Amino acid sequence: ADYVAAAAPPAPPAPAAMDVDAPAPAWRTAGHPLVGREIVRLVEGGPAYSEGRVVGWLSAAESDFLDAANRPAALFHVAYRNGELAGDEEDLEEYEVEASLKAVFDEQQVARAVQAARAARKPAAKASKPKPRRP
């Protein structure tokens, strides 16, 4: 009987140099106005909130992140200090950080707000009715 030896399956192609991602760049800790800003984020599934601080950022050129429109986007690294996420870290897009910024008020703004609140609580002065004239 003529037998044809079954050929061994072809060897897989030798792997080219493995595609190894370059190490992630280090987060920049300066150079963007959002670095150092305080944020408050609603914890998914809320109603709990967590407070954190933007501790670093990567430009769109440095980040490997693509936004919803499939364009390179900057990322901002947040470290949470209080709340449900205390001790956790998260990377956010710029619009997410901006939407979560804590309001910053100076003393004059606070004083004006207190004055306005006090004025709103005072009952409005009644307008005096003119006295009817006698003929």
Side-chain angles (χ1 to χ4, degrees), residues 21-49:
D21 290 340
W27 292 99
R28 293 174 180 234
T29 57
H32 196 285
L34 291 176
V35 173
R37 296 289 304 271
E38 298 285 329
I39 68 165
V40 177
R41 297 271 295 164
L42 177 64
V43 176
E44 199 168 312
Y49 287 87

Side-chain angles (χ1 to χ4, degrees):
D2 285 338
Y3 287 98
V4 176
M18 291 199 41
D19 283 331
V20 176
D21 290 340
W27 292 99
R28 293 174 180 234
T29 57
H32 196 285
L34 291 176
V35 173
R37 296 289 304 271
E38 298 285 329
I39 68 165
V40 177
R41 297 271 295 164
L42 177 64
V43 176
E44 199 168 312
Y49 287 87
S50 285
E51 296 179 5
R53 177 184 298 254
V54 178
V55 296
W57 75 290
L58 294 173
S59 70
E62 296 167 310
S63 158
D64 61 356
F65 182 77
L66 299 177
D67 67 11
N70 210 28
R71 294 180 305 227
L75 284 179
F76 296 83
H77 194 67
V78 174
Y80 292 102
R81 294 191 321 270
N82 301 321
E84 292 286 317
L85 300 176
D88 287 348
E89 297 179 0
E90 182 176 29
D91 301 337
L92 301 173
E93 290 182 71
E94 187 169 5
Y95 80 91
E96 293 172 303
V97 173
E98 289 174 347
S100 303
L101 288 174
K102 273 186 159 182
V104 177
F105 298 104
D106 65 24
E107 290 179 25
Q108 290 178 346
Q109 288 174 308
V110 172
R112 285 193 298 270
V114 168
Q115 274 183 327
R118 286 181 182 153
R121 280 187 269 157
K122 289 182 181 177
K126 292 184 181 178
S128 60
K129 291 184 182 178
K131 294 183 180 177
R133 291 187 175 182
R134 293 188 181 187

